[in-house]
Amino acid sequence: MQQERTVSPADQFPMVVVERLVKRFGSFNALSDINLNVAKGEKIVLCGPSGSGKSTLIRCINHIEKHDSGRIVVDGIELTDRFGDINSVRCEVGMVFQSFNLFPHLSVVENCMLAPMKVRGLAQSEARDRAMVLLRKVRIHDQAKKYPAQLSGGQQQRVAIARALCMQPKIMLFDEPTSALDPETVKEVLDTMVGLAQDGMTMVCVTHEMGFAREVADRVVFMDRGSIVEEGDPSTFFRAPNTERAKAFLNQIIH
């Protein structure tokens, strides 16, 4: 049973504010009038059919995709075209993709050390110590000297999570982090994400893993055709969705 989350005064101020967001690819509206707030410590799961705009939304939050209109504010910083704003937001937002995007020529620990040294200015010894702490947290510290090609997909994805955490982000974005994994390795990545959630990390996750959504999410946001169709707490969403579109989606993916 999902534990009720205690809301502190700090939680009243959203970590992420998305207002009337629009994103187009040519004449195609990928996102239409999206409004979404994410509170500090909140875990949100974005779900919906392929092409519904889930990944585009979180890529806009990290400015990997530039939105066409509307506002995005992350930890009090509005995302604009100014490089300083974009860089400030990216320093506070960790992102884990479907593909692992590890540097093949660097060892596991070196992959984790690079950004803290280059962006945060950490000394090599401090960056290594931080990397080893977080590799231990995701239970992959014993592989620290290996290279990505020597690891399984699940192990590589856990390294990718540790690498993001090494920047000490205030929010983590996950873009279908288990979709490229073999079924046997999905659980180890989901277990790592559950641990982050239990530690209080603010998280926005695009995933089709509905068991994870039931266990971890404070709120499920269902998207279709670039719009938010429905949102609510997991118990209500899975037991009695309000819209026919959400009911049809759940009937297809839950057996």
Side-chain angles (χ1 to χ4, degrees):
M1 179 179 295
Q2 186 185 28
Q3 294 183 343
E4 185 176 352
R5 188 170 66 88
T6 300
V7 179
S8 69
D11 288 336
Q12 305 303 316
F13 301 94
M15 180 66 70
V16 178
V17 177
V18 177
E19 294 180 346
R20 304 187 67 84
L21 190 70
V22 173
K23 171 62 184 176
R24 302 183 187 92
F25 294 103
S27 61
F28 174 68
N29 265 17
L31 296 173
S32 302
D33 198 31
I34 298 292
N35 294 283
L36 181 69
N37 284 2
V38 183
K40 181 180 179 181
E42 190 174 21
K43 291 70 163 166
I44 289 182
V45 166
L46 301 177
C47 66
S50 297
S52 60
K54 309 180 299 296
S55 294
T56 301
L57 175 55
I58 64 169
R59 290 170 71 89
C60 285
I61 292 173
N62 207 18
H63 207 75
I64 295 172
E65 296 287 354
K66 177 184 174 182
H67 57 285
D68 292 293
S69 63
R71 297 176 70 237
I72 301 174
V73 181
V74 180
D75 194 29
I77 302 170
E78 183 169 355
L79 269 174
T80 68
D81 288 334
R82 293 193 296 268
F83 176 77
D85 294 334
I86 297 168
N87 194 48
S88 295
V89 166
R90 286 180 176 168
C91 284
E92 307 302 337
V93 178
M95 188 156 183
V96 178
F97 301 86
Q98 298 178 38
S99 54
F100 320 122
N101 295 329
L102 300 176
F103 294 109
H105 64 290
L106 298 180
S107 69
V108 163
V109 69
E110 288 169 341
N111 263 279
C112 294
M113 293 167 59
L114 185 62
M117 292 171 60
K118 296 292 186 181
V119 179
R120 298 288 196 194
L122 263 65
Q124 185 177 33
S125 59
E126 186 178 357
R128 183 177 295 275
D129 289 345
R130 180 184 295 182
M132 290 306 300
V133 167
L134 290 164
L135 288 170
R136 185 176 297 276
K137 183 180 183 67
V138 302
R139 301 184 304 280
I140 200 73
H141 59 284
D142 55 337
Q143 309 293 324
K145 294 182 179 180
K146 291 186 177 180
Y147 289 84
Q150 297 174 286
L151 305 181
S152 69
Q155 289 174 322
Q156 290 188 61
Q157 193 62 294
R158 281 187 283 156
V159 173
I161 293 172
R163 180 177 63 176
L165 291 173
C166 280
M167 286 292 287
Q168 297 185 328
K170 295 181 179 178
I171 180 172
M172 287 285 288
L173 307 177
F174 293 88
D175 187 7
E176 298 193 33
T178 61
S179 64
L181 302 179
D182 295 329
E184 292 181 349
T185 61
V186 167
K187 185 178 184 301
E188 63 190 53
V189 174
L190 291 178
D191 285 347
T192 298
M193 293 170 64
V194 168
L196 289 179
Q198 292 172 341
D199 288 344
M201 175 63 72
T202 307
M203 299 167 63
V204 181
C205 309
V206 175
T207 182
H208 292 296
E209 300 289 344
M210 294 299 98
F212 172 81
R214 288 177 186 271
E215 180 179 358
V216 170
D218 296 304
R219 187 160 31 123
V220 175
V221 176
F222 174 71
M223 297 183 65
D224 188 34
R225 298 183 180 182
S227 298
I228 293 177
V229 176
E230 182 172 345
E231 57 183 295
D233 66 272
S235 60
T236 302
F237 178 76
F238 289 110
R239 185 184 70 255
N242 292 321
T243 62
E244 292 301 320
R245 185 64 189 91
K247 291 176 185 177
F249 174 77
L250 291 173
N251 285 338
Q252 288 181 336
I253 66 170
I254 296 178
H255 305 288

